Amino acid sequence: MRVDGRKADELRKVDMIPDYMKHAEGSVYICVGDTKVICAASVEERVPPFLRGSGKGWVTAEYAMLPRATQSRTIRESSKGKVGGRTMEIQRLIGRSLRSVVQLDRLGERTVWLDCDVIQADGGTRTASITGAYVAMVFALHRLVKAGSLPRMPVTDYLAATSVGIVDGVPSLDLCYEEDSRAKVDMNVVMTGTGKYVEVQGTGEDSPFSPEELNQLLDLAKGGTERLIACQKEVLQDMGD
Amino acid sequence: MRVDGRKADELRKVDMIPDYMKHAEGSVYICVGDTKVICAASVEERVPPFLRGSGKGWVTAEYAMLPRATQSRTIRESSKGKVGGRTMEIQRLIGRSLRSVVQLDRLGERTVWLDCDVIQADGGTRTASITGAYVAMVFALHRLVKAGSLPRMPVTDYLAATSVGIVDGVPSLDLCYEEDSRAKVDMNVVMTGTGKYVEVQGTGEDSPFSPEELNQLLDLAKGGTERLIACQKEVLQDMGD
Amino acid sequence: MRVDGRKADELRKVDMIPDYMKHAEGSVYICVGDTKVICAASVEERVPPFLRGSGKGWVTAEYAMLPRATQSRTIRESSKGKVGGRTMEIQRLIGRSLRSVVQLDRLGERTVWLDCDVIQADGGTRTASITGAYVAMVFALHRLVKAGSLPRMPVTDYLAATSVGIVDGVPSLDLCYEEDSRAKVDMNVVMTGTGKYVEVQGTGEDSPFSPEELNQLLDLAKGGTERLIACQKEVLQDMGD
Amino acid sequence: MRVDGRKADELRKVDMIPDYMKHAEGSVYICVGDTKVICAASVEERVPPFLRGSGKGWVTAEYAMLPRATQSRTIRESSKGKVGGRTMEIQRLIGRSLRSVVQLDRLGERTVWLDCDVIQADGGTRTASITGAYVAMVFALHRLVKAGSLPRMPVTDYLAATSVGIVDGVPSLDLCYEEDSRAKVDMNVVMTGTGKYVEVQGTGEDSPFSPEELNQLLDLAKGGTERLIACQKEVLQDMGD
Amino acid sequence: MRVDGRKADELRKVDMIPDYMKHAEGSVYICVGDTKVICAASVEERVPPFLRGSGKGWVTAEYAMLPRATQSRTIRESSKGKVGGRTMEIQRLIGRSLRSVVQLDRLGERTVWLDCDVIQADGGTRTASITGAYVAMVFALHRLVKAGSLPRMPVTDYLAATSVGIVDGVPSLDLCYEEDSRAKVDMNVVMTGTGKYVEVQGTGEDSPFSPEELNQLLDLAKGGTERLIACQKEVLQDMGD
Amino acid sequence: MRVDGRKADELRKVDMIPDYMKHAEGSVYICVGDTKVICAASVEERVPPFLRGSGKGWVTAEYAMLPRATQSRTIRESSKGKVGGRTMEIQRLIGRSLRSVVQLDRLGERTVWLDCDVIQADGGTRTASITGAYVAMVFALHRLVKAGSLPRMPVTDYLAATSVGIVDGVPSLDLCYEEDSRAKVDMNVVMTGTGKYVEVQGTGEDSPFSPEELNQLLDLAKGGTERLIACQKEVLQDMGD
């Protein structure tokens, strides 16, 4: 029995409010338990320098937390004057993950920015960001298709992410903050709708883990991402045509 | 008749969701028309260096916008590596305004941080921030009183802010973005519950204004802040005891 | 009777040395009591990105203090690696104020930079900067007209600024540093030669102020800016033709 | 047959010059093929703020490349004024990996800094850095033991890292730069002497990968790290006593 | 005959206005031809970390130019967010030079800051800064002696600096801007009242120079610094007692 | 007899490993005693903005130290977020020195970057950098000539640098760290193969020096640079044709 009463292979309650933001081309307010993230997709009609003239598009992400998303107030990165290592790591992860299911050469020379702003943090903010950003991105791309700017959707698969870890010796799915801070092993897994891995990031800083443990964690992650993708499908089916 | 059908002296619809954030000592989600701001109050048990040992407390504010709060995406200040002039001006204004109704010597050596994060921008974000931050601050201070950390509330008055301006020749209350970008004169007024001015900031960059116009604008602002304070009272009466 | 023997509605001694700098297109060394500012106007034959191709010009300002302009040494902003909030607020104010009396579309695609460097500070440095920068700007624009680069002066009015405040309960004009640090209410007013307001910035952080007090302060400011404009006219009449 | 004639499960030539630096408490010049990294361990008799008074020590890493370690010159991060995302990610990885085999509570309140400076880059610089930094750290800790500053070695296991990836459809060990830039899947694996995982970081940005492929890559990594640990043992046995 | 009619071994007109700044412990406005620098000495009752507890004092300098001190406007270093290489080089030079004639162990644990702000630049700003900063520093130290904070003056000698160079093949003293930009060899020399060298910085970037040329330049510099020191003595004799 | 047994006019052992870096157009690993520097020359086919369209080329340098090149660990400048004054001074010196022997108008519109990275520091790192960078630059330019990109070598002379100083009263050549930290006078001299001065930088912060002492130091420097140039010739003769 886990701290919040869940079973080891149980996700927290997932909720997604589509089109949360008036101005964004696509957006979703995703809640995974008490973790809440606003994901907004913005389409910009140009690409970074290294892609200019290539005919290819780009997908990139930025991630931040409101100062009081956390238990005690966190200093803003704008006040510090620099983006921290953890933030950079997360936004690089989100961007890489989303690009893995987009045909950049079919996107045209435009950039899709995904802004993931954590309103409230209770563990798993980076995986909730990926799961929500996928939905925001699909909304934005769908709008481009409807507007005739794109001949068809350049998305090849569904994509969702979850965290898994070993808490008090038990491999568990979708850790909340309290579990996460006690976990010996911590892994983030990003998977596609066809069950392939896009990212596997496991770390055993406090306690190296065996191949058997790795397999148990990967199994839990598979179940979790399947259920998250089911939620995404529900939200996306109302996208209209 | 204004762009959104309002009368010249009419506020937009005001809505405040109290206790929006799980972790903050006080918080409110304030909506003034399509302008939406999350205001969170955090209590920190220490003061800036210039107050150490003085027995006095401090109230300060930070202000930011989500990148896609605006019509086109705005670059994050954390990415730029510095806080811009407009942001600094606004957060200094919020802090000064709130301090005007707090007895800092009765607060004890602690700091109340007010984080105003604009989720969606449609004009008047700084005045909505002040109006919301006041409520968040009162919640946080009330919690300190209930916990016995403060003998009584160190707040001397209500406080709200609104914008006024001359749009197409007509002095108008509470400008939305479209009006604001067309206004010749633009003024932000912060007032107390007893009808005194805390801040009057009027600018006629595009067209200097006469003493008569100044008076008309100040009258409109008076009516607007009175109604905003009525809304604050409604939210705060449920604060319990 | 004030700290330096002045009456409540009396300005400090004002002195302006025109053409103080050898290289600048226009310059003035303005002294208002012990507050001393070098204002230099530089003409640059290009505009910021947002105006390129618009046919319009731009007027902007920068403000700084020598480290020992103040009673105790102030750390340089270049050493800190960033421009502080107070400085940004002031330079935005100076730029806005001057643009209000310039026809930017008649300036051509060029920028007038106004550098206001405080050599000695004794209260009212921002208002002395505006009053002096106006003169430096007029000199520089006059030189453009004489050189045939501009068909005629694109300046619509005179412009001066002063501070007012309530010191020991008495509304007073042109506060020196000692008065300023004791003032309950502090207001900066920028006015044109035809008696219109360009900026009204009043703050009652320590003590909110009534509508009556606001009116008394505005009256004092009117008298002060009228006298400052008289001084400007004297300096400018020698500009030759 | 690979680009440099190796078999799929073959490491490049590994060479380690111990005690390369005169001043460092421990150091090694590690070459893995044409990838060359100087790893230096520095012992500092204090810990970061979050550990002060805890009795615990800390292990942390910094990573950089000489500008001309790469095929075309890379701009220095000191010139850019900030450490990039890739660098931060790598130095966080190195630090976490090394901490996983150190008993921080037995280290005392001191910090071991591991500086990994890439002299020449040909793929696998982060894994070579981990493998070399482990040796440099052991030298430095051994010196502390010999000097009586530590009662015994606080190291629990060996530690090495290697990269694996799928190149032209073939799962391959220890990718050189040319292979790395063509690889569809890219994984870095950090393992202990007892065959446990410390870090598993696999990314399929260009092509998501199946569970079968994941297993093949993990098998290759196991063989690779075993051989690297054998090399470490050889260098460390001469450490004396 | 030089560009401004001087002989090869002739200084420009030197003028020093003592006590130019109201707030500074010591100050001088030095003019060497059209080069004008305000030098202010500030005494701070503490020292940098590396001297705390040593009983020794410190002397350090900062140097800057007003943006329009130069022929075309120079961007402020505060706006760029960093102090440039030329500025750092100059302020290090000024600080080192002044320390050479101060007995730091007799200064007590205090710092003398020397701020050299160039109001107008026409060549030789760093040497004018050193010559003026010496006077400002002596004024400030003299005030400490008079106030009883120092038993006696901790200054061991006079100190002045000048520039020399080879212009159109002619070794010349005290180059103005036009000469400086044409000079093949450029040298700054800092000398004491007893004719010793404190700094010799010669550079022949455009044309290496012979030992004979070096000697001619050093002779000119000797004459120049002797006359500058005579000017310093005149200003300092009025210091009173 | 000096601390390491050398005579007053004796250089430390000099060693240069040419072509140390696989990717650089020219490189050398120079050791002067225990001071070790990797010098790499990179050719970039463009010039800084101020030279665009001029037909001229540019030579510039960057200098850094590995954190553990020094006795105790030095914080990286990338971590501090800025390049320090000492580093800027040194890289400006290296760049100026090398440009003095290159015909920039014969180089074509390209830049030669010289990266001098100190692997180990024991005094004289800036002079070793100049001596090594000259060799790396000649290798890179020779490669351009061989490739037909340049019609002939644009180098006018040999160039080497050494330090001299007065240690315990004795004028000495090529100071090691221990001597350098005890020296009263410290001078760096850059000379050409024909015995001319490119840079003379002498400083007597701790003790001003007489003209006689200056001459003794310059004599020692002449002998030292002659021997360094002899070493350069040996390495360069193998450059082939």
Side-chain angles (χ1 to χ4, degrees):
Chain A
M1 193 72 156
R2 293 162 72 174
V3 63
D4 52 6
R6 282 184 290 152
K7 284 175 289 180
D9 65 350
E10 194 179 339
L11 280 182
R12 288 177 288 178
K13 186 173 183 312
V14 178
D15 204 23
M16 298 191 220
I17 308 174
D19 279 325
Y20 187 75
M21 303 195 84
K22 177 187 180 178
H23 301 302
E25 279 77 39
S27 64
V28 70
Y29 189 149
I30 184 169
C31 304
V32 178
D34 274 342
T35 289
K36 301 178 182 183
V37 186
I38 298 180
C39 302
S42 300
V43 178
E44 188 188 25
E45 292 296 320
R46 57 175 191 169
V47 286
F50 71 92
L51 283 177
R52 277 181 206 148
S54 71
K56 282 190 179 177
W58 191 240
V59 175
T60 189
E62 288 193 355
Y63 166 98
M65 295 205 293
L66 294 202
R68 205 49 202 281
T70 45
Q71 292 203 312
S72 60
R73 185 177 185 273
T74 307
I75 298 173
R76 287 174 198 269
E77 296 190 322
S78 57
S79 299
K80 287 197 220 166
K82 61 178 176 183
V83 176
R86 179 185 170 273
T87 297
M88 285 207 193
E89 213 168 285
I90 293 175
Q91 54 199 23
R92 285 159 59 92
L93 169 66
I94 302 171
R96 261 195 333 261
S97 298
L98 289 168
R99 285 194 296 275
S100 75
V101 292
V102 176
Q103 292 164 303
L104 297 174
D105 47 357
R106 292 205 168 150
L107 181 53
E109 281 206 18
R110 50 174 66 91
T111 298
V112 182
W113 289 86
L114 292 152
D115 284 295
C116 300
D117 285 89
V118 178
I119 302 302
Q120 196 164 275
D122 188 30
T125 62
R126 78 186 71 187
T127 50
S129 293
I130 291 169
T131 305
Y134 175 82
V135 174
M137 180 184 75
V138 169
F139 277 123
L141 293 174
H142 191 251
R143 181 176 292 198
L144 285 178
V145 171
K146 273 170 61 184
S149 304
L150 274 184
R152 57 175 173 137
M153 288 293 280
V155 177
T156 58
D157 208 339
Y158 284 90
L159 184 89
T162 194
S163 77
V164 286
I166 301 181
V167 185
D168 304 333
V170 182
S172 306
L173 175 65
D174 186 24
L175 311 190
C176 67
Y177 178 76
E178 194 186 322
E179 292 175 321
D180 191 52
S181 50
R182 267 173 23 218
K184 287 289 178 193
V185 178
D186 179 24
M187 187 173 301
N188 293 296
V189 181
V190 187
M191 294 191 81
T192 65
T194 46
K196 293 202 163 180
Y197 299 114
V198 167
E199 290 274 342
V200 175
Q201 296 200 338
T203 181
E205 177 176 341
D206 292 321
S207 164
F209 52 105
S210 68
E212 295 69 40
E213 289 170 322
L214 175 59
N215 281 331
Q216 290 173 304
L217 293 171
L218 290 172
D219 278 352
L220 284 171
K222 187 169 191 304
T225 50
E226 281 169 2
R227 270 162 281 157
L228 287 164
I229 287 172
C231 297
Q232 289 178 329
K233 287 182 177 168
E234 241 174 88
V235 175
L236 288 171
Q237 76 187 358
D238 301 330
M239 197 164 55
D241 36 3
Chain B
M1 194 66 160
R2 292 163 71 175
V3 65
D4 54 5
R6 280 184 291 152
K7 283 176 290 179
D9 64 349
E10 194 178 339
L11 279 183
R12 288 177 288 177
K13 184 172 182 315
V14 177
D15 203 24
M16 297 191 222
I17 308 174
D19 278 326
Y20 187 75
M21 303 195 83
K22 177 187 180 179
H23 301 302
E25 279 77 40
S27 64
V28 70
Y29 189 148
I30 184 171
C31 304
V32 178
D34 274 343
T35 289
K36 301 178 182 183
V37 186
I38 298 179
C39 302
S42 300
V43 178
E44 188 188 24
E45 293 296 323
R46 57 176 190 170
V47 287
F50 70 92
L51 284 177
R52 278 181 206 149
S54 70
K56 284 190 178 177
W58 191 240
V59 174
T60 190
E62 288 194 352
Y63 167 97
M65 295 205 291
L66 295 202
R68 205 50 202 282
T70 46
Q71 291 204 312
S72 60
R73 187 178 184 273
T74 306
I75 298 174
R76 286 174 197 271
E77 296 190 321
S78 58
S79 299
K80 287 197 219 167
K82 61 178 175 185
V83 175
R86 178 185 171 274
T87 297
M88 285 207 193
E89 213 168 286
I90 293 175
Q91 53 200 22
R92 283 159 60 91
L93 169 66
I94 302 171
R96 258 191 341 256
S97 297
L98 290 169
R99 284 193 297 273
S100 74
V101 293
V102 175
Q103 293 164 303
L104 297 175
D105 47 357
R106 292 204 167 152
L107 182 53
E109 282 206 19
R110 51 174 65 91
T111 298
V112 183
W113 289 87
L114 292 152
D115 285 293
C116 301
D117 284 90
V118 179
I119 302 302
Q120 196 164 275
D122 188 31
T125 61
R126 79 186 71 186
T127 51
S129 293
I130 291 168
T131 306
Y134 175 82
V135 174
M137 181 184 74
V138 170
F139 277 123
L141 293 174
H142 190 250
R143 180 176 295 198
L144 285 179
V145 172
K146 274 170 59 184
S149 306
L150 276 182
R152 56 176 172 139
M153 286 293 280
V155 178
T156 59
D157 208 339
Y158 284 90
L159 184 90
T162 193
S163 76
V164 286
I166 301 182
V167 185
D168 305 333
V170 183
S172 305
L173 174 65
D174 186 23
L175 312 190
C176 69
Y177 178 75
E178 194 186 322
E179 293 176 321
D180 190 53
S181 51
R182 264 171 28 214
K184 287 288 178 196
V185 178
D186 179 25
M187 188 173 301
N188 293 297
V189 182
V190 186
M191 293 190 83
T192 65
T194 47
K196 292 204 163 179
Y197 299 113
V198 167
E199 290 274 341
V200 174
Q201 296 201 339
T203 183
E205 176 176 343
D206 293 320
S207 165
F209 51 104
S210 68
E212 296 69 40
E213 288 170 323
L214 176 59
N215 282 331
Q216 290 173 304
L217 293 171
L218 291 172
D219 278 353
L220 284 171
K222 187 170 192 302
T225 50
E226 281 169 4
R227 270 162 282 154
L228 287 163
I229 287 172
C231 296
Q232 289 177 332
K233 288 182 177 167
E234 241 174 88
V235 175
L236 289 171
Q237 76 185 358
D238 301 330
M239 199 164 55
D241 37 2
Chain C
M1 192 72 156
R2 294 163 70 177
V3 65
D4 52 7
R6 282 184 290 152
K7 285 177 287 177
D9 64 350
E10 192 178 341
L11 280 183
R12 288 176 287 178
K13 184 171 183 314
V14 178
D15 203 24
M16 297 191 221
I17 308 174
D19 278 327
Y20 188 75
M21 303 193 85
K22 175 185 179 181
H23 302 303
E25 279 78 40
S27 65
V28 69
Y29 189 149
I30 184 170
C31 304
V32 179
D34 273 344
T35 288
K36 301 178 182 182
V37 186
I38 297 179
C39 303
S42 300
V43 178
E44 188 188 25
E45 294 294 322
R46 57 177 192 170
V47 287
F50 70 91
L51 283 177
R52 276 179 207 152
S54 71
K56 282 190 180 177
W58 192 238
V59 174
T60 190
E62 287 193 355
Y63 166 97
M65 295 206 291
L66 296 201
R68 204 51 202 281
T70 46
Q71 292 204 313
S72 60
R73 187 178 184 271
T74 307
I75 299 174
R76 287 174 197 269
E77 296 190 321
S78 57
S79 299
K80 288 196 218 166
K82 62 180 173 181
V83 175
R86 177 183 171 275
T87 296
M88 285 207 193
E89 214 168 285
I90 293 175
Q91 53 199 24
R92 284 159 60 92
L93 169 65
I94 302 172
R96 263 195 334 262
S97 297
L98 290 169
R99 286 193 296 274
S100 75
V101 292
V102 176
Q103 294 164 303
L104 297 173
D105 47 358
R106 293 204 167 151
L107 181 55
E109 280 205 19
R110 49 174 66 92
T111 299
V112 182
W113 289 87
L114 292 152
D115 286 294
C116 301
D117 285 89
V118 179
I119 301 302
Q120 195 164 278
D122 188 31
T125 62
R126 78 185 73 187
T127 51
S129 293
I130 291 169
T131 305
Y134 174 81
V135 173
M137 181 184 74
V138 169
F139 277 123
L141 292 174
H142 190 251
R143 182 177 292 198
L144 286 178
V145 172
K146 272 170 60 185
S149 305
L150 275 183
R152 57 177 172 137
M153 286 294 280
V155 178
T156 58
D157 208 340
Y158 284 89
L159 184 90
T162 194
S163 77
V164 286
I166 301 181
V167 184
D168 303 334
V170 182
S172 307
L173 174 66
D174 186 24
L175 312 189
C176 68
Y177 178 76
E178 194 185 322
E179 293 175 320
D180 190 53
S181 51
R182 264 169 30 213
K184 286 289 177 196
V185 178
D186 178 25
M187 187 174 301
N188 293 297
V189 181
V190 187
M191 294 191 82
T192 64
T194 48
K196 293 202 161 181
Y197 298 114
V198 168
E199 291 274 341
V200 175
Q201 295 201 340
T203 183
E205 177 176 342
D206 292 320
S207 165
F209 51 104
S210 69
E212 295 68 40
E213 288 170 322
L214 175 59
N215 282 331
Q216 289 172 304
L217 292 172
L218 291 171
D219 278 352
L220 284 172
K222 187 170 191 302
T225 50
E226 280 168 3
R227 269 161 283 154
L228 288 163
I229 287 172
C231 297
Q232 290 177 331
K233 286 181 179 168
E234 240 174 89
V235 176
L236 289 170
Q237 74 186 359
D238 301 329
M239 197 166 55
D241 36 3
Chain D
M1 192 72 157
R2 294 163 70 176
V3 63
D4 53 5
R6 281 184 292 153
K7 283 176 287 176
D9 65 349
E10 192 178 342
L11 281 181
R12 287 177 287 176
K13 185 170 183 314
V14 178
D15 203 24
M16 297 191 221
I17 308 175
D19 278 326
Y20 188 74
M21 303 193 84
K22 175 185 180 179
H23 301 303
E25 278 78 40
S27 65
V28 70
Y29 189 148
I30 184 170
C31 304
V32 178
D34 274 342
T35 289
K36 300 178 181 182
V37 186
I38 297 179
C39 303
S42 300
V43 178
E44 188 188 26
E45 292 296 322
R46 57 176 191 173
V47 287
F50 70 93
L51 284 177
R52 279 181 205 148
S54 69
K56 282 190 181 179
W58 192 240
V59 175
T60 189
E62 287 194 353
Y63 167 97
M65 295 206 292
L66 295 202
R68 205 50 201 281
T70 46
Q71 292 204 312
S72 59
R73 188 177 182 273
T74 307
I75 299 174
R76 285 175 199 269
E77 296 190 321
S78 58
S79 300
K80 288 197 218 167
K82 61 178 175 184
V83 175
R86 178 184 171 274
T87 297
M88 284 207 194
E89 215 169 283
I90 292 175
Q91 52 198 25
R92 284 159 59 91
L93 169 65
I94 302 172
R96 262 195 333 263
S97 297
L98 289 169
R99 285 192 297 274
S100 74
V101 292
V102 176
Q103 293 164 303
L104 297 173
D105 48 356
R106 293 205 168 151
L107 181 54
E109 281 206 18
R110 50 174 66 93
T111 299
V112 182
W113 289 86
L114 292 152
D115 285 293
C116 301
D117 284 90
V118 178
I119 302 303
Q120 196 165 276
D122 189 31
T125 62
R126 79 185 70 186
T127 49
S129 293
I130 292 168
T131 307
Y134 174 82
V135 174
M137 181 184 75
V138 169
F139 277 123
L141 293 174
H142 190 251
R143 181 177 293 198
L144 286 177
V145 172
K146 274 169 59 185
S149 305
L150 276 183
R152 57 175 171 140
M153 286 295 280
V155 178
T156 59
D157 207 339
Y158 284 90
L159 184 90
T162 193
S163 77
V164 287
I166 302 181
V167 185
D168 305 331
V170 182
S172 306
L173 174 65
D174 185 24
L175 311 190
C176 68
Y177 177 75
E178 194 185 322
E179 292 175 322
D180 190 53
S181 50
R182 267 174 24 220
K184 288 289 179 195
V185 178
D186 178 25
M187 188 174 301
N188 293 297
V189 181
V190 186
M191 295 190 82
T192 63
T194 47
K196 293 202 162 183
Y197 299 113
V198 167
E199 290 273 341
V200 175
Q201 296 201 339
T203 183
E205 176 176 343
D206 293 319
S207 165
F209 51 104
S210 68
E212 294 70 39
E213 288 170 322
L214 176 58
N215 281 331
Q216 289 174 303
L217 292 171
L218 291 171
D219 278 353
L220 285 171
K222 186 169 193 301
T225 49
E226 281 168 3
R227 269 162 282 155
L228 288 163
I229 287 171
C231 296
Q232 289 176 331
K233 288 181 178 168
E234 240 173 90
V235 176
L236 289 170
Q237 75 186 0
D238 301 330
M239 199 164 55
D241 38 3
Chain E
M1 193 69 160
R2 292 162 72 176
V3 63
D4 52 7
R6 280 185 291 153
K7 283 175 287 177
D9 64 350
E10 193 178 341
L11 280 183
R12 288 178 287 177
K13 185 171 183 312
V14 178
D15 204 23
M16 297 190 221
I17 308 175
D19 277 326
Y20 188 75
M21 304 194 84
K22 177 185 178 178
H23 301 302
E25 278 77 40
S27 64
V28 71
Y29 189 149
I30 183 171
C31 303
V32 178
D34 275 342
T35 289
K36 300 177 182 183
V37 186
I38 297 179
C39 302
S42 300
V43 178
E44 191 188 23
E45 293 295 322
R46 57 176 189 170
V47 287
F50 69 92
L51 283 178
R52 277 180 206 148
S54 70
K56 283 189 180 180
W58 191 239
V59 175
T60 189
E62 287 193 355
Y63 167 97
M65 295 205 292
L66 295 201
R68 204 52 200 281
T70 45
Q71 291 204 314
S72 59
R73 187 178 184 271
T74 307
I75 299 173
R76 285 175 199 270
E77 296 190 321
S78 57
S79 299
K80 288 196 218 167
K82 61 178 175 184
V83 176
R86 178 184 170 275
T87 297
M88 285 206 193
E89 214 167 283
I90 293 175
Q91 53 199 24
R92 286 159 58 91
L93 169 65
I94 303 171
R96 262 197 329 265
S97 296
L98 289 169
R99 286 193 296 275
S100 74
V101 292
V102 176
Q103 291 165 303
L104 298 173
D105 47 356
R106 292 205 168 150
L107 181 54
E109 281 207 18
R110 50 174 67 91
T111 299
V112 182
W113 288 86
L114 292 152
D115 284 294
C116 301
D117 285 88
V118 179
I119 301 303
Q120 195 165 276
D122 187 32
T125 62
R126 79 185 69 186
T127 50
S129 294
I130 292 168
T131 306
Y134 174 81
V135 173
M137 181 184 75
V138 169
F139 277 123
L141 293 175
H142 190 250
R143 180 177 294 197
L144 287 177
V145 172
K146 273 168 62 182
S149 305
L150 276 183
R152 56 175 171 138
M153 288 294 280
V155 178
T156 58
D157 207 339
Y158 284 89
L159 184 88
T162 194
S163 77
V164 285
I166 301 181
V167 184
D168 304 333
V170 182
S172 307
L173 173 66
D174 186 24
L175 311 190
C176 68
Y177 178 75
E178 194 186 322
E179 292 176 322
D180 189 53
S181 51
R182 267 172 23 217
K184 287 287 178 195
V185 178
D186 179 24
M187 187 173 302
N188 293 297
V189 181
V190 186
M191 294 189 83
T192 64
T194 46
K196 291 201 164 182
Y197 299 113
V198 168
E199 289 274 340
V200 174
Q201 295 202 340
T203 182
E205 177 177 341
D206 292 319
S207 164
F209 51 104
S210 67
E212 293 70 38
E213 287 169 323
L214 176 58
N215 281 332
Q216 288 172 305
L217 293 171
L218 291 171
D219 278 352
L220 285 171
K222 187 169 192 304
T225 50
E226 280 168 2
R227 270 160 282 154
L228 289 163
I229 288 172
C231 296
Q232 290 176 331
K233 287 182 179 169
E234 242 174 88
V235 176
L236 290 170
Q237 75 186 0
D238 302 330
M239 199 164 56
D241 37 1
Chain F
M1 193 74 157
R2 293 163 69 177
V3 63
D4 52 6
R6 282 185 290 151
K7 283 174 289 174
D9 65 349
E10 191 178 341
L11 281 182
R12 288 177 288 178
K13 185 173 183 313
V14 178
D15 203 23
M16 298 190 219
I17 308 174
D19 279 324
Y20 188 75
M21 303 194 84
K22 178 185 178 179
H23 300 303
E25 279 77 38
S27 64
V28 69
Y29 190 150
I30 184 170
C31 304
V32 178
D34 273 342
T35 288
K36 301 179 182 183
V37 186
I38 297 180
C39 303
S42 300
V43 178
E44 189 188 24
E45 293 295 321
R46 58 176 190 171
V47 286
F50 70 92
L51 284 178
R52 277 181 207 148
S54 70
K56 282 190 180 178
W58 192 239
V59 174
T60 190
E62 288 193 354
Y63 167 97
M65 295 205 292
L66 295 201
R68 205 50 201 282
T70 46
Q71 291 202 315
S72 60
R73 188 178 183 270
T74 307
I75 299 173
R76 286 174 198 270
E77 296 191 321
S78 57
S79 300
K80 288 197 218 167
K82 61 179 175 183
V83 175
R86 178 184 170 274
T87 297
M88 285 207 194
E89 215 168 284
I90 293 175
Q91 52 198 24
R92 285 159 58 92
L93 168 66
I94 303 172
R96 261 195 334 262
S97 297
L98 289 168
R99 286 194 295 276
S100 75
V101 292
V102 176
Q103 293 164 303
L104 297 173
D105 48 357
R106 293 205 167 150
L107 182 54
E109 280 206 17
R110 50 174 66 91
T111 299
V112 182
W113 288 86
L114 292 153
D115 285 294
C116 301
D117 285 89
V118 178
I119 301 304
Q120 195 164 279
D122 188 31
T125 62
R126 77 185 71 187
T127 50
S129 293
I130 292 169
T131 306
Y134 174 82
V135 173
M137 180 184 75
V138 169
F139 277 123
L141 293 174
H142 191 251
R143 181 176 293 197
L144 286 178
V145 172
K146 272 170 62 184
S149 304
L150 275 182
R152 57 177 172 138
M153 288 294 280
V155 178
T156 58
D157 207 340
Y158 283 90
L159 184 89
T162 194
S163 76
V164 286
I166 302 181
V167 185
D168 304 332
V170 182
S172 307
L173 173 66
D174 186 24
L175 312 189
C176 67
Y177 178 75
E178 196 186 321
E179 291 175 322
D180 190 53
S181 50
R182 266 173 25 217
K184 287 288 178 195
V185 179
D186 179 25
M187 186 174 301
N188 292 296
V189 181
V190 187
M191 293 191 83
T192 64
T194 47
K196 293 201 163 183
Y197 299 113
V198 167
E199 291 274 341
V200 174
Q201 296 201 339
T203 182
E205 178 176 343
D206 292 321
S207 165
F209 50 104
S210 67
E212 294 67 41
E213 288 169 323
L214 176 58
N215 282 331
Q216 289 173 303
L217 292 171
L218 291 172
D219 278 352
L220 284 172
K222 186 169 192 300
T225 51
E226 281 169 1
R227 268 161 282 155
L228 288 162
I229 288 172
C231 296
Q232 290 177 330
K233 287 182 178 169
E234 240 174 90
V235 176
L236 289 170
Q237 75 187 0
D238 301 329
M239 198 164 57
D241 38 2

